[in-house]
Amino acid sequence: MNGILFEKMRFTCQQSGHCCCDPNIIVTLTYRDLLRLFTTLYCDFRLLLQKISFYTLDSTTSPILEKQMVLETILTSDGKVIPGLKKHSKKICVFYSRPSCSIYSSRPLACRNYPLAFVKEKELIMSTWVKNSPKTCPGIGKGSPLSQKNIEQRGKRFFKEIEKHNQVVRELNVEASNNRPLTAREALWTLIIYGESEYQQRQK
Ligand code: SF4
């Protein structure tokens, strides 16, 4: 297990923007991320589509790589897709506006936790650094050690959102297998509607 003891992890964001400009980082999106972005973008679906990419997996994708994906792929008539943030031609996140993120308060789950990655074995949550981040992120090693409680809480929130997202995607995929699969855009809209109805339920 590539876990690191919580007490040894130090991180304070230096606002370097390295993670937002790293061509090797893809920010994938849960349905709650999609709803947060949709709301931030004035509930304008066309505007949202300008900011989203559909990362597709096909027969050339290694099964090992597919297995490592935290988010399950969505079966659509456009292929097996995972929604993620678009990048500019220079491979910079579409929301990065020097010197910082232009949607900071609604940034996706992956950005909230970077450079922390979580691993779950049975009920034990462990934490490590996102691959390559110790080489590129100047915030690692800075500040006081992160507390075990803080990391555990973040890890729990992370897995709760991921597992719920994957459950919704699995239901969509069963539908897609039994009926006409949705297009990637229709699947995106369905996830937003799901997120919105869940939000409304929570408000009651
Ligand atoms: S959404 Fe914001 S924090 Fe996340 S990669 Fe893009 S600019 Fe950076």
Side-chain angles (χ1 to χ4, degrees):
M1 176 74 59
N2 191 23
I4 293 179
L5 289 176
F6 299 148
E7 305 85 59
K8 291 184 181 169
M9 300 188 87
R10 293 169 189 270
F11 169 70
T12 303
C13 181
Q14 305 294 299
Q15 307 226 333
S16 69
H18 284 189
C19 48
C20 311
C21 306
D22 186 334
N24 298 310
I25 291 180
I26 292 175
V27 178
T28 53
L29 303 166
T30 67
Y31 71 86
R32 287 185 184 165
D33 287 329
L34 290 166
L35 179 62
R36 282 190 283 266
L37 288 176
F38 180 60
T39 310
T40 301
L41 297 171
Y42 319 106
C43 298
D44 183 334
F45 191 57
R46 274 188 300 183
L47 189 53
L48 179 72
L49 286 172
Q50 289 169 17
K51 312 288 183 189
I52 302 273
S53 277
F54 295 104
Y55 294 97
T56 51
L57 304 184
D58 57 25
S59 56
T60 61
T61 308
S62 126
I64 298 172
L65 178 69
E66 193 171 342
K67 229 177 161 183
Q68 284 172 354
M69 295 272 182
V70 186
L71 298 187
E72 294 203 10
T73 49
I74 309 167
L75 301 179
T76 73
S77 57
D78 301 303
K80 290 159 79 177
V81 303
I82 295 183
L85 291 184
K86 235 176 217 170
K87 284 178 180 274
H88 291 305
S89 54
K90 288 185 178 164
K91 307 288 183 195
I92 296 169
C93 174
V94 72
F95 287 115
Y96 184 67
S97 176
R98 195 172 294 277
S100 60
C101 173
S102 60
I103 52 153
Y104 192 76
S105 59
S106 354
R107 67 200 187 286
L109 181 70
C111 306
R112 286 169 196 270
N113 287 314
Y114 187 89
L116 288 180
F118 300 103
V119 185
K120 194 175 183 185
E121 190 156 299
K122 296 192 177 141
E123 287 312 300
L124 183 66
I125 293 175
M126 299 178 78
S127 183
T128 184
W129 300 119
V130 169
K131 197 175 170 204
N132 289 333
S133 62
K135 289 184 198 152
T136 56
C137 177
I140 291 180
K142 303 268 178 16
S144 310
L146 299 171
S147 74
Q148 178 168 345
K149 191 172 169 205
N150 177 288
I151 294 187
E152 276 178 344
Q153 283 173 344
R154 289 167 70 168
K156 276 186 192 159
R157 274 202 299 272
F158 173 81
F159 282 111
K160 194 172 167 198
E161 183 163 336
I162 296 291
E163 283 163 11
K164 182 68 187 163
H165 172 87
N166 284 340
Q167 181 194 330
V168 174
V169 168
R170 280 195 291 274
E171 286 167 16
L172 266 186
N173 289 348
V174 170
E175 283 284 312
S177 308
N178 294 335
N179 303 299
R180 175 187 74 85
L182 301 174
T183 64
R185 285 178 182 212
E186 287 169 338
L188 197 67
W189 183 242
T190 305
L191 289 173
I192 292 171
I193 298 287
Y194 183 88
E196 172 64 16
S197 69
E198 180 193 67
Y199 175 76
Q200 294 298 343
Q201 286 293 328
R202 284 209 305 263
Q203 298 307 304
K204 284 182 185 167

